[in-house]
Amino acid sequence: MRLILMRHGETEWNAEQRLQGQDNSLLSERGVAQVKRFRPYAKALQPARIIASDLGRTRQTVALIGHPDAPSDERFRELDMGEWTGRRKPDLIAEQPEEYTAWRAGTFTPDRGETWGAFRTRVAEGVRDWMACTEGDLLVVAHGGVIRAACHEFLDLPPSRVVPVTPGTATILHFPKRDGRIAQLEGYNIGAVAPDVSVAD
C-alpha cells in the first residue's frame, strides 16, 4: 500500500516566513490556488481513505480537495514549536543560528516546545493505526514537519537531510509489506505548483 502525505496549501504565516506549529493562519490566495491545482491529482491517486490533521489550515485544504467530511486525527498536527511559534525564520537564523540549525536537525527543542522524538513517535503511531484499518492507499493531509517525521521513521532519513516540501504537494511512501515498518520513497514534493511558492514551516 501507499502512504500519500499532502502538505496543506500556503498560509498567510507561510508567506511571512513565520513558524506556525500548532497555531494557525488561513490559507493565502496562493495557497488556495495551490490546493485547487492539486485537487485533480488527489482524485487521480484514488486513495481508499483520506485523513487530515485537525488544525484549521489542513481542514481548509482537505475541504478544497473535495473531502470536507474526512476524519481528523490530532496525531497529524504539526510539531509544537513552543516559544518559537509565530517567530519569523530569518529572525531566528540571525539571532539564534546554532539553535535553529539544531532544531532543524531534531536535536534542539525551544522552550515549551515538543521534542522531535515525541513528535516522530506520535506521527508514526497515527500512520500505523490508520494503515492497519485501511484496505488500499491512505492520503493524509498534514504539515511539512509531519512529512519529515514520516521520512525519518519509515525511510530512516534524519530531519537534517530532508528538504522542506512545498505547500500543496504530495510525498508518497510505498510499503511493500503491510507491517508499517519499512517504506520506499515513490515520490517527493510532487504536484502542480507554481515555481515561486513558499517553503517556510
Side-chain angles (χ1 to χ4, degrees), residues 15 23-24 33-34 37 42 50 56 61 63 90 97 99 105 113-114 124 127 130-131 135 169 189 201:
D23 208 335
N24 201 57
Q34 288 168 343
R37 283 195 295 270
I50 299 173
T61 296
E99 290 87 348
E114 183 177 18
V127 168
W130 284 107
M131 284 177 57
E135 291 294 332
T169 64
N189 203 42
D201 293 288

Side-chain angles (χ1 to χ4, degrees), residues 174-193:
H174 174 245
F175 289 81
K177 299 180 180 179
R178 291 186 55 86
D179 57 13
R181 294 183 181 180
I182 300 174
Q184 299 166 345
L185 183 61
E186 186 173 306
Y188 190 81
N189 203 42
I190 53 178
V193 296

Side-chain angles (χ1 to χ4, degrees), residues 83-103:
E83 289 190 349
W84 282 10
T85 302
R87 295 287 308 277
R88 293 186 67 250
K89 175 181 172 181
D91 296 338
L92 285 168
I93 292 173
E95 297 167 13
Q96 300 174 259
E98 293 182 4
E99 290 87 348
Y100 184 83
T101 299
W103 175 71

Side-chain angles (χ1 to χ4, degrees), residues 96-175:
Q96 300 174 259
E98 293 182 4
E99 290 87 348
Y100 184 83
T101 299
W103 175 71
R104 291 295 302 182
T107 58
F108 173 81
T109 304
D111 286 346
R112 296 198 298 274
E114 183 177 18
T115 67
W116 180 260
F119 176 55
R120 174 183 170 182
T121 295
R122 72 167 163 86
V123 170
E125 287 177 350
V127 168
R128 290 191 173 101
D129 284 351
W130 284 107
M131 284 177 57
C133 65
T134 301
E135 291 294 332
D137 295 341
L138 173 67
L139 170 60
V140 178
V141 179
H143 310 269
V146 170
I147 295 170
R148 290 197 301 138
C151 287
H152 195 184
E153 178 72 18
F154 301 113
L155 300 173
D156 198 27
L157 283 174
S160 60
R161 294 183 55 198
V162 179
V163 177
V165 294
T166 304
T169 64
T171 293
I172 303 176
L173 307 185
H174 174 245
F175 289 81

Side-chain angles (χ1 to χ4, degrees), residues 14-61:
N14 287 148
E16 296 171 359
Q17 298 189 62
R18 295 187 184 278
L19 302 183
Q20 293 177 103
Q22 296 184 3
D23 208 335
N24 201 57
S25 68
L26 295 175
L27 299 188
S28 65
E29 289 185 11
R30 181 163 58 177
V32 170
Q34 288 168 343
V35 175
K36 288 181 176 179
R37 283 195 295 270
F38 187 87
R39 181 173 176 164
Y41 186 63
K43 184 177 181 180
L45 289 169
Q46 298 183 314
R49 191 188 299 268
I50 299 173
I51 309 295
S53 155
D54 64 340
L55 297 180
R57 56 194 185 271
T58 43
R59 293 307 315 176
Q60 190 179 1
T61 296

